[in-house]
Amino acid sequence: FLNFIFFTGFGFSSGMIMIVAYANLQKATGEERRAGYFGLLNALINIASAIPVFFSGILSDVFGVDKIVIVLAIAFFIASFRMQKNNSL
């Protein structure tokens, strides 16, 4: 049950970060170049998402899965509110 709560918080916080990031990118780019920037952003996100997969196995073996999930949930929760505070829409 505790994992469910942390995964829910992790997903909620991640959603808050991505919404602000996409909104800021839309405001900062012109219509003629927006598709290229979003394509590049999605490609970079896909590449960057592979990095935690490589390290999560090692960290889970050393510290345990529950501790890693808790740290990630807290980090994303804090980051989402810091981004909301700095970038009010």
Side-chain angles (χ1 to χ4, degrees):
F1 180 73
L2 187 61
N3 284 341
F4 174 76
I5 292 172
F6 285 117
F7 278 124
T8 302
F10 180 71
F12 175 76
S13 300
S14 177
M16 289 175 64
I17 291 170
M18 292 308 296
I19 290 169
V20 173
Y22 275 84
N24 285 334
L25 182 61
Q26 283 182 338
K27 283 197 276 186
T29 59
E31 285 187 35
E32 66 279 353
R33 307 221 47 196
R34 191 172 293 157
Y37 287 132
F38 274 98
L40 178 62
L41 175 66
N42 286 329
L44 292 174
I45 288 172
N46 287 334
I47 291 168
S49 65
I51 295 169
V53 173
F54 294 128
F55 291 111
S56 64
I58 297 169
L59 292 174
S60 296
D61 286 342
V62 173
F63 298 109
V65 175
D66 291 340
K67 291 178 184 173
I68 299 300
V69 169
I70 290 170
V71 168
L72 287 175
I74 292 170
F76 271 88
F77 194 71
I78 291 170
S80 67
F81 282 106
R82 292 187 85 186
M83 285 186 73
Q84 287 277 336
K85 181 180 172 185
N86 293 335
N87 298 316
S88 59
L89 295 176

